[in-house]
Amino acid sequence: MALIDIERVRQDTAGVSRVVHLNNAGAALAPRPVVDAVVGHLRLEEQIGGYEAAASKAEQIEHTYDALARLVGAGRDDIAVVENATRAWDMAFYSLPWAEGDRILTARAEYASNAIAFLQTARRHGVRVEVVPDDPHGQLDVEALRAMIDKRVKLIAITHVPTQGGLVNPAAEIGKVAREAGIVYLLDACQSVGQMPVDVGEIGCDLLTATGRKFLRAPRGTGFLYCSPRIREQLEPPFLDLHAATWTSADRYHVRADARRFENWETYYAGKIGLGTAVDYALNLGLDAIEERVTNLATTLRARLRTLPGAQVHDRGVRQCGIVTFTIEGHDSQDIARALQAQGINVSVSIADYARWDFEPRSLTSVVRASVHYYNTDTEIDQLVSALPAPGGCSDRV
């Protein structure tokens, strides 16, 4: 496996000279080629006009579909580029036809936006939302999932990596259950794409959604949806326009055949080009190499945290990734995050509102979330650990 040239990627990342950025699960620092691609297209729009700029860069725009397809092991016609991961997920989920008595199976670690959509659909259509138990390691229990399958299960919807911890759910094992039962499988890969290899064929999902701004290091306001050709014709998106469908006669329309049926006509072309550039950057480094470095940095951080009096690491699962969550006795998580930011160290906080099915059984109200990426260093981990308060309210560690 090729090693990542850390000095080069840090030279490409202007922000590392200003901050210790450990909020990559929120939005990573974009590398210079991505910034140049976005700004360059905006400059072109400034000079010749938006429609004209898009037409002149059609090949580069189309390349984004090829790059995303390569990233997740799909065909280019299986990819839709949309505003963000939430809209991608919503377009997939709300395309499913629901009937009273249908069942949705999901995980304890599910993200709030997805859970709210489940509950709204349950209220509207009489659908049942059922949470699959965790196994002893804190990940979705695959055998429990298998035991819950019957003819009324319409959807298995899982978050691959939750926003609130380092857990990596067993996506491929879940996919095997879904395929055996012939059930649609929707995977929220918002936090996994970009920090580890993700292959839709190996996972066996029918639908996958992800964002650009997190571990892919792409611009904000970018995301994508993978839709398998196996089910695409069965799904009519909840919103259609003249890009997603063709008005064929006065009272008829025809939905386009490829995954772009989930898009709309107006789009962020500079961001789309930036997204493709970010994917190319990650692919050139290699997702295996990225995962190895990210996992090693996160393992180091967890080990360092466990040596601190009063610190508790809350990550679960057999397989863990670059998201590290912790609390410190006697300190509010928000206060810790603010104090770190004042010292030029970026982290974030996950609260119970984001993950009630996960946090409430564990009696958690909030955790500090430090999420590493390959451009971070051991020195930056040392800076974070040294800046943390001692337990019980004393701010001096020495």
Side-chain angles (χ1 to χ4, degrees), residues 26-46:
L29 299 175
R32 186 168 288 107
V34 172
V35 176
D36 290 346
V38 173
V39 173
H41 191 77
L42 292 175
R43 292 294 187 199
L44 187 62
E45 290 184 343
E46 175 189 35

Side-chain angles (χ1 to χ4, degrees), residues 90-162:
D90 285 343
M91 289 295 280
F93 176 75
Y94 286 105
S95 295
L96 294 165
W98 298 103
E100 186 173 356
D102 285 345
R103 299 170 63 211
I104 298 170
L105 301 184
T106 189
R108 286 202 175 278
E110 201 67 11
Y111 185 52
S113 292
N114 303 351
I116 289 168
F118 298 151
L119 297 174
Q120 182 189 51
T121 300
R123 181 180 296 175
R124 286 179 174 177
H125 300 290
V127 170
R128 291 171 52 190
V129 181
E130 300 178 37
V131 179
V132 180
D134 288 340
D135 70 11
H137 303 285
Q139 62 193 16
L140 180 136
D141 188 322
V142 176
E143 291 309 311
L145 170 68
R146 194 185 305 275
M148 294 173 71
I149 298 293
D150 65 16
K151 293 182 179 180
R152 295 170 299 163
V153 176
K154 187 68 162 285
L155 177 69
I156 298 171
I158 304 297
T159 295
H160 195 187
V161 169

Side-chain angles (χ1 to χ4, degrees), residues 320-335:
Q320 296 182 342
C321 66
I323 300 176
V324 179
T325 56
F326 63 93
T327 52
I328 296 179
E329 181 184 348
H331 293 275
D332 178 77
S333 297
Q334 296 283 6
D335 290 341

Side-chain angles (χ1 to χ4, degrees), residues 269-300:
Y269 283 103
K272 184 177 284 190
I273 290 171
L275 175 61
T277 305
V279 172
D280 287 341
Y281 195 93
L283 289 171
N284 287 336
L285 292 176
L287 272 298
D288 288 324
I290 289 172
E291 181 183 28
E292 181 178 13
R293 179 160 178 85
V294 168
T295 301
N296 288 342
L297 286 168
T299 299
T300 297

Side-chain angles (χ1 to χ4, degrees), residues 28 30 66 71 97 114 118 124 167-168 171 176 188 225 235 244 278 280 291 310 317 352 370 384 390:
D66 295 317
L71 178 71
N114 303 351
F118 298 151
R124 286 179 174 177
L167 163 72
V168 182
K176 183 178 180 182
D188 180 340
L225 163 66
L235 304 181
D280 287 341
E291 181 183 28
L384 168 66

Side-chain angles (χ1 to χ4, degrees), residues 347-360:
V347 297
S348 60
V349 174
S350 290
I351 61 175
D353 289 3
Y354 301 165
R356 291 200 173 275
W357 293 334
D358 179 29
F359 272 22
E360 289 182 354

